[in-house]
Amino acid sequence: MSPPSPPEENAAPAQSVDPQPQPEQVGLAVDALEERVQEAVRKTEEGGPVDFPAIEAEAASVCETIVKLPAADAKRIAERLPAIVGALDAIAKILAERQPKDGAARDSGVGSRRAAAAYASSHTRAKRGF
């Protein structure tokens, strides 16, 4: 068994895990979030799929970064957030309008057709004595 080798003299210094964010970078992140949310509005209006967990994660990351900025920069960038929240509210309104008024779950018919097909098959009819 050999003794542990000494640390290298030319080893890279440890990097800071949480460097101070730059306002310009945070502004670009807010731009990207705003674009993603606007695209989500369009997809929701068209009835397409939206990756809400990804939007939530991106929004959380942006908010966590904003609070690390100097107060003046954070305030300036945070003033853009109500527009994003408004777009998310628009998505919520669209989705709420699509829900049945009585609160019952929507049935696309696929489950009902599968159940009917299974119930009507000769294999299950034989089990039921038909």
Side-chain angles (χ1 to χ4, degrees), residues 51-102:
D51 188 356
F52 290 113
I55 292 172
E56 181 179 6
E58 189 173 343
S61 175
V62 166
C63 291
E64 289 170 8
T65 306
I66 288 173
V67 299
K68 295 176 185 176
L69 291 172
D73 293 325
K75 182 177 179 184
R76 179 178 47 81
I77 292 173
E79 288 174 350
R80 298 174 52 199
L81 297 180
I84 295 171
V85 172
L88 292 170
D89 287 343
I91 292 172
K93 182 178 178 186
I94 292 166
L95 294 174
E97 289 171 353
R98 290 187 186 158
Q99 294 299 315
K101 300 300 179 205
D102 62 2

